[in-house]
């Protein structure tokens, strides 16, 4: 979820009011009507021209240079709004391992020299909650599992056994994921620091997927829930600092840390953003001068 720093109270209330409609579009996997409607409503309430040129009378036409600058600002604002919704809802969707075919983080998630996940491990990541966890819980209730190590061993054994008994379609799916993983490892180099603005924005958009994948792995191996706070220079804000939080864990009622403790979440973000302001001070100066 983006920090409230770049929004006023009224703007934040407006965005929260659009969440139900966004979630409906998420379920339908169709955004053809949502984004145009959202953008129109936003810019009617808060024209980007007034933000960019607050002291420039509306009745006076902009220069070609100003119009070009305004166009870039509008695009940046649209991207900022999209990122807000993606992060705001990131905790409410279950992770599916390797669901995305590509990500700018693939090289970091699967660096050369590390071992590939086995088909049994991939099956566990994909189907743990629905097909493996019930068996594990039954074994625990029967007293056959009494330690964390015992649970990990049982999970590994059950994953292989259940995969062997699966339908051909499921086996084929896991095999395809396994082969895709091997191909990525054989062809992907770990990249250096990314400087292209488009790639940076794409990386920010990919973060919820990556962080949730990490959270799932941590929970399966340690039974811990984790949260993430990220902050750094944002091109859409002229390299001003943006802070984001991601809380993948959910209560049995489907609530995340953000939905239960929104005030505390914003306090954490505000403090971390202040820290990032100090951390990235020199880097922001360089970025501002080179753009």
């Amino acid at each position: 979820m983006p920090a409230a720093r770049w929004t006023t109270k009224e703007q934040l209330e407006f965005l929260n009011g659009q969440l139900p409609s966004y979630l409906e579009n998420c379920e339908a996997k169709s955004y053809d009507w949502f984004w145009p409607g959202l953008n129109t409503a936003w810019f009617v309430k808060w024209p980007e021209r007034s933000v960019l040129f607050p002291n420039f009378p509306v009745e006076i036409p902009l220069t070609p240079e100003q119009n070009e600058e305004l166009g870039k600002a509008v695009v940046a604002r649209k991207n900022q709004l999209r990122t807000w919704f993606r992060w705001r809802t990131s905790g409410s969707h279950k992770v599916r391992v390797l669901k995305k075919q590509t990500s700018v983080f693939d090289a970091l998630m699967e660096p050369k020299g590390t071992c590939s996940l086995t088909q049994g491990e991939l099956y566990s990541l994909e189907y743990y909650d629905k097909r493996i966890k019930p068996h594990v819980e039954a074994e625990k209730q029967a007293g056959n599992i009494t330690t964390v190590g015992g649970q990990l061993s049982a999970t590994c054994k059950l994953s292989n056994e259940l995969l062997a008994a699966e339908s051909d379609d499921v086996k084929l799916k896991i095999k395809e994921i396994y082969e895709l993983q091997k191909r990525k490892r054989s062809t992907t180099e770990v990249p250096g620091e990314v400087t292209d603005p488009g790639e940076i924005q794409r990386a920010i958009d990919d973060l919820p997927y990556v962080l949730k994948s990490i959270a799932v792995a941590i929970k399966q191996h340690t039974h811990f829930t984790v949260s993430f706070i990220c902050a750094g220079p944002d091109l859409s804000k002229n390299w001003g600092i943006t802070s984001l939080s991601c809380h993948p864990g959910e209560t049995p009622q489907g609530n995340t840390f953000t939905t239960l403790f929104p005030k505390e979440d914003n306090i954490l973000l505000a403090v971390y953003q202040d820290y990032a302001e100090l951390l990235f001070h020199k880097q922001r100066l360089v970025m501002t001068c080179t753009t």
Side-chain angles (χ1 to χ4, degrees):
M1 181 191 75
R5 283 296 185 87
W6 66 272
T7 62
T8 64
K9 181 179 179 181
E10 182 183 2
Q11 288 171 336
L12 189 58
E13 290 176 352
F14 168 81
L15 292 175
N16 283 324
Q18 303 300 313
L19 273 175
S21 177
Y22 178 74
L23 290 174
E24 291 178 3
N25 283 270
C26 284
E27 294 299 326
K29 297 182 180 179
S30 174
Y31 305 93
D32 293 343
W33 295 100
F34 178 77
W35 294 124
L38 173 76
N39 293 333
T40 299
W42 176 275
F43 290 121
V44 167
K45 287 177 173 288
W46 302 284
E48 199 64 28
R49 169 174 169 151
S50 299
V51 177
L52 194 60
F53 306 110
N55 300 318
F56 202 87
V58 177
E59 60 272 12
I60 299 179
L62 298 177
T63 66
E65 292 78 12
Q66 289 173 325
N67 274 317
E68 182 179 357
E69 186 177 356
L70 178 59
K72 292 180 180 179
V74 168
V75 171
R77 181 70 68 190
K78 289 180 179 179
N79 289 334
Q80 190 175 46
L81 291 171
R82 290 190 179 218
T83 300
W84 188 94
F85 280 94
R86 287 167 181 163
W87 277 87
R88 187 71 176 182
T89 58
S90 64
S92 63
H93 298 282
K94 299 298 183 182
V95 178
R96 291 294 179 263
V97 63
L98 296 180
K99 181 177 181 181
K100 295 179 63 175
Q101 293 297 310
T102 59
S103 164
V104 296
F105 291 99
D106 283 345
L108 299 180
M109 297 293 287
E110 301 175 37
K112 286 189 174 182
T114 61
C115 297
S116 298
L117 295 177
T118 66
Q119 293 190 41
E121 289 169 334
L122 291 170
Y123 177 79
S124 177
L125 287 174
E126 183 77 3
Y127 295 107
Y128 180 80
D129 285 340
K130 290 184 177 180
R131 306 189 186 183
I132 300 174
K133 185 177 179 180
H135 293 279
V136 173
E137 293 299 323
E139 291 294 318
K140 289 170 66 176
Q141 292 179 7
N144 297 327
I145 298 176
T146 58
T147 65
V148 173
Q151 179 165 333
L152 292 176
S153 298
T155 298
C156 181
K157 181 181 178 182
L158 283 167
S159 297
N160 291 320
E161 291 177 351
L162 292 173
L163 175 59
E166 278 287 2
S167 66
D168 290 340
D169 288 342
V170 171
K171 290 179 181 177
L172 179 60
K173 177 182 179 181
I174 296 301
K175 183 178 180 180
E176 288 176 346
I177 295 175
Y178 178 73
E179 294 298 330
L180 174 62
Q181 174 190 231
K182 290 202 302 183
R183 287 198 299 272
K184 285 182 179 179
R185 290 187 65 252
S186 64
T187 60
T188 305
E189 296 290 342
V190 177
E193 182 176 350
V194 178
T195 57
D196 178 74
E199 285 297 303
I200 293 174
Q201 185 60 52
R202 184 180 169 214
I204 293 174
D205 291 341
D206 281 347
L207 266 178
Y209 156 76
V210 175
L211 296 180
K212 287 190 294 180
S213 298
I214 294 172
V216 168
I218 290 175
K219 185 175 182 180
Q220 288 185 357
H221 287 81
T222 67
H223 294 261
F224 285 1
T225 184
V226 295
S227 292
F228 304 91
I229 300 179
C230 311
D234 185 348
L235 175 61
S236 67
K237 296 174 58 180
N238 193 28
W239 298 116
I241 297 297
T242 288
S243 56
L244 310 166
S245 66
C246 181
H247 305 287
E250 293 182 358
T251 67
Q253 293 75 31
N255 294 315
T256 66
F257 179 85
T258 300
T259 56
L260 292 176
F261 305 102
K263 180 179 178 181
E264 289 78 3
D265 189 39
N266 280 329
I267 291 174
L268 285 172
L269 284 168
V271 173
Y272 199 76
Q273 182 158 323
D274 289 340
Y275 167 71
E277 292 279 359
L278 301 174
L279 190 65
F280 289 102
H281 177 67
K282 291 184 178 180
Q283 183 177 347
R284 287 176 59 201
L285 292 178
V286 173
M287 288 177 169
T288 303
C289 293
T290 56
T291 55

